[in-house]
Amino acid sequence: MFDILQRASRNGSDEELKADTRQHRGGIGRRKETVNPRTWATVWWLAVGGMLEIRMDRHSVHRRLALLLGFVLVMTAILGWYTVARARSGVENLPVDKTKAVEKGADRSKEDLLIMLRPDDHIHRPARVVQLGWEITKGMRRPDGVLKTVYLINGLFPGPTIEARSGDTVIITVRNEIDGGEGLSLHWHGLRIANAMDGVDGVTQQPIEPGDAFTYQLDIPQDQSGTFWYHSHAETQRADGLYGAFVIHAPVKTREAGIAGSSSTYDTDDVLMVGDWYHRSSMDVLDYYRDWKNFKIEPVPDSLLLNGRGSFECTRAVPAWPVECQKAILPELRFSGQRTRLRIINTGASTGFSIAFAGHSASLLTVDGGNLVAHSAQGSGFGILYPGERVDLIVQRMESEESHITIALDRETMRFPNLALLATQQFPIATESSSVARLGHENKTASIVDLSRVSGVETAIPNKASATVLLYTTISYLAEFSNRPKGFINRTSWDTADLSATLLEMQETSWPLETAKSVQHIASNGMWVDVVLNNMDDKGHPFHLHGHDFYVLSRHYPSRRGVYESYNPFDSTYDQPGEGPNVLNPVKRDTIHVPSRGYVILRFKADNAGLWMFHCHVLWHQAVGMAMAFKIPPAGC
């Protein structure tokens, strides 16, 4: 009987395994297979089976002892099942939604390049608990016609699009089914959540090892809505496709108040993830970047993906990097309404881009996580959008013979040429004729809106911060590191690869010296902090702050080429280069591009306790140490 039960517990079908993941009600945090419902079922049947065998053998010498043992096993199974169920049943006393439709996320069509959202399913309902179960694997796919091993979430590349509303609790059980001993973790980019759920390998959690599961509990703040995304924060997995969109809809009352833009201003709501793409594995690309012979020049991508799909010209393949390629036919972008809210996310590893519209007008609604901008800037295009950044646009059809979008990759991180890459690509737009609004002719002279110069709405922030953190960052290649590129912030380089526990689990006195020097301690929870970040490098860096938003008070480009114009607020012997800080209507973001040889001044309210990363979002720069952390004490401290 033991043998039969063991085979039954191990040989479930893939569909049963996925169902187990979706329905599992284990506690929040790391879990082993021992809390799987199938395991409790096995214990139950072992106990019952044992008692039945005992009842058939009434002449057993040890019948009473065996009956007692069987009874203990039965009670253990019942108690275990009750404990596991109870641990997951009481989140905020919110109603629970476990439907498959939610897990699948938004609509994906083979005939439409866009991902269509369903805001009406969320903006009218009360807050609730949304439970999702994810199984992460790897498989061979042809995103742009070139065969490559990518990460899959429940068989999807990119991963499922999550939709929720402000105030929801989203519980996601992530099970690692990757072969080969590869751990993983997931970060929820832009969300103000509990630090333990931030998903940073080596900082807030240990990697989820193959066969293990981890449950993320994401308590969405009532005042947070907009366009976000999730991605791996372990090694370089993001560049191989471990990412997806995360959209938080504002409830109707909030929309009517104008916080997230009135829903009456658009008919449909779509997501467009745009990112550079490498045909080699991300670890091979990182090894190339780390090679001293390449002089810290970033690897140039091979292709471009929109929502995980592209079209690579096989004849452009470079002989030095042979690929297995088939012609890929891209579907059109379909705007099904007169006016579309288009949520654009740069999911790339290295490259910024600009996007322009032919046959359409567009106005800027928000940046990053639902942060409103002043006067809804209008133009024929927008840029540059750097890795990790997002914009929400209102796109409307105009009377024109042409209808397409043009995406141009920025060349700042493309110093070496890659003959395989088409750096500027066009994608056709198909619009239903019945829904076209003939409001006028296309303005051929409309300009590209410079996202770096966008202002926010008027806000009440203090004129001065309580503390100022001065930072200098660069990438160097030094003899002591075998001339390999190394990222530095204030002469320290971030590295948690060899830690046996997470920084949160360790006493600070046990942190490695280099890591300890990379952590800035904030004196008290709730204080306003200015971050003056000087970029001493020969290229720009998009920096992302975990767990918080910040106001961009200043962003300064050098006045002439080759000149360093840094700023030290503690040195009164010279004036601040550029304009003074804007405290009236600064734009609010969670990711900001710091110009080469220039600087930014950021102000944030340090009111989310924990250890929060601050790092360059160019994956290769982050991987070689361009990162640090802020430690914020608990509330009341």
Side-chain angles (χ1 to χ4, degrees):
M1 186 182 70
F2 282 80
D3 181 60
I4 294 173
L5 289 170
Q6 287 172 350
R7 290 200 302 269
S9 68
R10 293 176 182 173
N11 296 336
S13 68
D14 290 340
E15 290 301 317
E16 291 171 340
L17 191 62
K18 292 177 183 178
D20 260 0
T21 309
R22 287 192 294 266
Q23 297 172 6
H24 186 61
R25 301 175 65 86
I28 304 303
R30 178 175 297 279
R31 290 201 324 282
K32 297 282 188 178
E33 292 294 325
T34 52
V35 297
N36 190 293
R38 183 183 290 116
T39 304
W40 292 118
T42 301
V43 174
W44 173 272
W45 284 110
L46 282 172
V48 173
M51 295 183 69
L52 288 174
E53 290 180 342
I54 291 167
R55 289 185 61 85
M56 289 188 295
D57 186 9
R58 294 180 178 272
H59 301 288
S60 171
V61 177
H62 303 288
R63 180 168 59 87
R64 292 184 180 179
L65 182 60
L67 278 171
L68 179 61
L69 177 60
F71 176 78
V72 171
L73 287 172
V74 170
M75 294 306 297
T76 301
I78 294 173
L79 181 61
W81 184 274
Y82 174 77
T83 302
V84 171
R86 182 177 176 83
R88 290 287 289 266
S89 63
V91 182
E92 300 288 336
N93 294 318
L94 297 175
V96 178
D97 188 326
K98 299 188 295 180
T99 61
K100 294 182 180 180
V102 174
E103 181 173 352
K104 290 178 181 177
D107 288 336
R108 298 191 188 193
S109 170
K110 293 182 179 180
E111 299 177 355
D112 187 358
L113 203 53
L114 297 174
I115 296 176
M116 182 181 296
L117 301 176
R118 302 167 180 166
D120 288 338
D121 291 350
H122 304 277
I123 63 177
H124 303 288
R125 63 170 176 80
R128 68 188 181 197
V129 176
V130 179
Q131 293 186 357
L132 307 178
W134 287 358
E135 179 184 285
I136 298 183
T137 58
K138 294 173 81 171
M140 302 295 289
R141 295 291 187 273
R142 297 182 183 272
D144 61 350
V146 175
L147 191 66
K148 179 180 175 176
T149 301
V150 301
Y151 292 92
L152 306 172
I153 302 179
N154 292 353
L156 294 177
F157 165 78
T161 296
I162 301 175
E163 291 189 74
R165 59 145 279 178
S166 307
D168 276 353
T169 292
V170 182
I171 297 176
I172 307 174
T173 299
V174 177
R175 179 179 295 178
N176 182 353
E177 293 294 343
I178 301 173
D179 295 329
E182 183 179 353
L184 59 90
S185 65
L186 293 179
H187 168 60
W188 317 94
H189 190 112
L191 294 184
R192 301 194 305 270
I193 55 177
N195 191 224
M197 299 291 109
D198 195 41
V200 180
D201 178 16
V203 179
T204 63
Q205 73 171 88
Q206 295 277 20
I208 308 170
E209 300 296 343
D212 284 3
F214 186 93
T215 298
Y216 294 94
Q217 178 176 316
L218 312 178
D219 297 314
I220 310 299
Q222 292 284 356
D223 63 347
Q224 188 164 40
S225 63
T227 304
F228 306 88
W229 62 304
Y230 61 88
H231 57 78
S232 172
H233 220 289
E235 297 185 337
T236 56
Q237 296 169 341
R238 169 163 61 98
D240 291 329
L242 190 45
Y243 63 81
F246 196 136
V247 175
I248 302 174
H249 298 285
V252 171
K253 291 183 179 179
T254 305
R255 288 171 174 243
E256 291 173 351
I259 296 177
S262 172
S263 58
S264 63
T265 61
Y266 52 89
D267 305 309
T268 58
D269 201 341
D270 297 324
V271 168
L272 183 63
M273 295 178 284
V274 181
D276 53 40
W277 188 245
Y278 295 83
H279 292 152
R280 290 168 287 162
S281 74
S282 61
M283 290 306 296
D284 287 345
V285 176
L286 179 59
D287 289 342
Y288 176 90
Y289 176 56
R290 284 175 168 164
D291 191 332
W292 67 270
K293 296 188 293 294
N294 294 319
F295 303 102
K296 76 183 181 82
I297 296 178
E298 293 79 8
V300 178
D302 303 298
S303 189
L304 176 68
L305 298 185
L306 277 62
N307 286 339
R309 289 186 266 188
S311 182
F312 180 72
E313 292 187 13
C314 299
T315 56
R316 298 183 66 91
V318 178
W321 304 104
V323 295
E324 185 178 336
C325 184
Q326 297 178 359
K327 179 63 177 177
I329 305 299
L330 268 185
E332 296 175 311
L333 292 91
R334 295 183 179 273
F335 295 140
S336 56
Q338 294 182 359
R339 296 165 63 87
T340 296
R341 180 172 184 166
L342 185 61
R343 303 170 183 263
I344 305 175
I345 307 170
N346 187 334
T347 58
S350 181
T351 313
F353 66 84
S354 297
I355 183 168
F357 297 85
H360 291 74
S361 66
S363 58
L364 181 61
L365 181 62
T366 65
V367 296
D368 287 355
N371 300 309
L372 292 171
V373 298
H375 310 306
S376 296
Q378 295 187 349
S380 61
F382 299 83
I384 299 170
L385 194 69
Y386 293 95
E389 294 183 332
R390 295 89 68 206
V391 292
D392 287 23
L393 308 177
I394 300 298
V395 180
Q396 181 164 323
R397 179 82 163 102
M398 305 296 288
E399 187 172 352
S400 173
E401 296 179 357
E402 294 183 281
S403 186
H404 61 262
I405 65 170
T406 300
I407 296 177
L409 295 178
D410 180 53
R411 296 185 178 276
E412 185 175 38
T413 56
M414 296 195 300
R415 303 289 177 87
F416 280 173
N418 183 353
L419 299 180
L421 175 68
L422 282 174
T424 301
Q425 299 185 28
Q426 286 189 354
F427 302 88
I429 299 175
T431 307
E432 297 176 7
S433 58
S434 59
S435 64
V436 173
R438 302 297 184 183
L439 299 182
H441 293 278
E442 181 183 8
N443 183 359
K444 298 291 186 181
T445 63
S447 61
I448 300 293
V449 174
D450 184 352
L451 293 174
S452 70
R453 301 185 181 279
V454 170
S455 299
V457 296
E458 289 192 19
T459 186
I461 62 173
N463 288 328
K464 290 187 178 181
S466 302
T468 299
V469 177
L470 177 61
L471 303 173
Y472 294 87
T473 188
T474 190
I475 290 183
S476 300
Y477 51 107
L478 306 173
E480 62 180 304
F481 301 113
S482 303
N483 291 321
R484 295 187 173 192
K486 196 87 167 174
F488 293 94
I489 299 178
N490 286 4
R491 299 183 180 179
T492 63
S493 187
W494 186 267
D495 186 5
T496 59
D498 297 327
L499 298 182
S500 58
T502 68
L503 295 182
L504 284 184
E505 295 169 337
M506 301 169 62
Q507 296 291 329
E508 284 193 45
T509 54
S510 301
W511 289 358
L513 178 60
E514 192 79 355
T515 303
K517 292 191 297 183
S518 297
V519 177
Q520 289 281 342
H521 290 71
I522 304 303
S524 63
N525 188 290
M527 69 187 300
W528 286 89
V529 179
D530 275 0
V531 178
V532 180
L533 178 56
N534 293 284
N535 181 6
M536 311 306 290
D537 204 16
D538 60 353
K539 59 183 68 65
H541 296 283
F543 266 75
H544 170 54
L545 176 61
H546 289 212
H548 298 78
D549 297 316
F550 50 73
Y551 292 95
V552 183
L553 305 188
S554 296
R555 186 171 184 265
H556 178 66
Y557 288 86
S559 56
R560 62 184 186 276
R561 190 179 182 89
V563 174
Y564 290 89
E565 294 187 356
S566 59
Y567 172 52
N568 181 354
F570 302 109
D571 186 350
S572 59
T573 59
Y574 68 96
D575 295 330
Q576 175 186 346
E579 300 178 358
N582 171 19
V583 295
L584 177 64
N585 61 343
V587 67
K588 193 177 184 182
R589 312 196 64 125
D590 57 56
T591 309
I592 183 68
H593 178 263
V594 189
S596 169
R597 299 185 175 93
Y599 68 88
V600 296
I601 303 177
L602 314 176
R603 182 170 295 174
F604 75 99
K605 188 175 184 180
D607 58 356
N608 195 356
L611 194 59
W612 299 102
M613 292 289 292
F614 184 52
H615 63 88
C616 179
H617 221 266
V618 172
L619 194 55
W620 322 124
H621 300 165
Q622 177 189 334
V624 298
M626 187 172 273
M628 58 167 287
F630 291 98
K631 186 174 183 183
I632 300 173
C637 296

